[in-house]
Amino acid sequence: MDLDFILSHMPEEIRRQTTHRTYMNGETIVRKGEDAKHVYLITRGSTRVSNEFASGQRYTFAALGEADIIGDLDVLAGKSVYAATNEADSTCEVIAMRAETFIQWMHLDNEFAVAVARMLAAKMYPTSNEAGRIKFLPSLERLHSYLLKRLGDIETDLFILHTSRQQIADDIGTSVKTVNRGVLKLKEAGLITLLHGKITMNKEQQQALKDSFVDE
């Protein structure tokens, strides 16, 4: 649903129970395991959604943006704690409300309730469709698939990936050490080049990377 529509149709009694908050890049909005007492509607910026495990590894599996809601799944599932961590990926502005206020809003506005259901389905579908598969791919294939997704349809003579090795590890659910091993293997295979530690690919390497990946 369009953000302007959501805000213009917000019941006044709900609006009175909300507050506006701003989070800077890297600042945590909700953390996995914390009490799920609030819901946040993003009005500007974006966030990255990740899961942290006892091993210390972190897996970034989604991104949220304008008009997306943080904490909706946790609250509607009746869970007492957040299932994942949400961090601002840029300067991020949100409308914050108590969990009870969010539920009240859904009861008052059927159109909003349907929109929330659709947003939840949109968030969960790619996770169901892909996350389970990627979890069981060997780490080198995960890195290979990740680089292809980052490359996308970009057409450039020299592609430079500015993402840190830690962030790559978070994104594919593995360790920095494993990412480094994979990077060296891809370099030895001639599929990538390292420039001041950053992964780069010329046009030939970009095509070779695409040709060498088999998606089952």
Side-chain angles (χ1 to χ4, degrees):
M1 186 181 288
D2 180 72
L3 178 62
D4 290 337
F5 183 88
I6 293 175
L7 297 180
S8 64
H9 287 76
M10 180 187 290
E12 190 56 40
E13 60 187 287
I14 299 298
R15 195 184 307 276
R16 287 196 298 267
Q17 299 179 63
T18 66
T19 58
H20 292 260
R21 299 182 188 177
T22 300
Y23 295 87
M24 305 309 292
N25 186 14
E27 195 172 354
T28 299
I29 300 173
V30 304
R31 188 177 299 280
K32 177 180 178 179
E34 288 181 344
D35 291 343
K37 294 182 177 180
H38 292 85
V39 172
Y40 305 85
L41 171 64
I42 301 174
T43 58
R44 176 173 173 260
S46 59
T47 75
R48 53 181 175 268
V49 189
S50 60
N51 232 319
E52 298 145 354
F53 301 95
S55 63
Q57 292 185 11
R58 185 172 62 174
Y59 177 37
T60 301
F61 60 89
L64 300 181
E66 185 179 292
D68 283 329
I69 300 174
I70 300 168
D72 48 355
L73 178 62
D74 316 81
V75 170
L76 291 174
K79 301 300 181 182
S80 60
V81 299
Y82 295 112
T85 295
N86 242 285
E87 294 176 332
D89 203 24
S90 61
T91 301
C92 190
E93 296 177 3
V94 303
I95 293 176
M97 66 198 80
R98 291 180 295 108
E100 295 83 359
T101 301
F102 174 66
I103 297 295
Q104 182 187 4
W105 186 1
M106 291 187 69
H107 280 298
L108 288 172
D109 187 342
N110 288 337
E111 196 165 1
F112 176 67
V114 171
V116 170
R118 286 177 174 165
M119 286 190 284
L120 280 173
K123 282 193 282 189
M124 294 176 68
Y125 181 83
T127 301
S128 300
N129 188 46
E130 184 174 340
R133 180 184 66 83
I134 201 75
K135 179 180 179 181
F136 294 103
L137 284 177
S139 57
L140 184 59
E141 287 184 50
R142 293 193 216 178
L143 178 60
H144 198 156
S145 177
Y146 174 83
L147 291 176
L148 282 177
K149 287 182 179 179
R150 292 299 303 270
L151 185 60
D153 296 324
I154 295 172
E155 293 188 8
T156 178
D157 291 335
L158 183 65
F159 173 80
I160 303 176
L161 184 68
H162 293 283
T163 309
S164 70
R165 300 288 173 84
Q166 180 61 66
Q167 187 60 53
I168 295 173
D170 292 347
D171 289 345
I172 66 175
T174 188
S175 65
V176 173
K177 185 176 180 180
T178 300
V179 169
N180 288 337
R181 283 200 301 265
V183 166
L184 289 177
K185 287 180 181 178
L186 292 179
K187 179 176 180 291
E188 290 168 0
L191 296 175
I192 64 171
T193 301
L194 296 180
L195 178 65
H196 304 303
K198 296 190 182 300
I199 296 171
T200 69
M201 288 177 275
N202 59 32
K203 271 192 170 295
E204 292 74 19
Q205 289 172 320
Q206 293 170 38
Q207 189 58 51
L209 190 78
K210 294 174 181 178
D211 292 342
S212 63
F213 184 75
V214 178
D215 187 359
E216 300 179 354

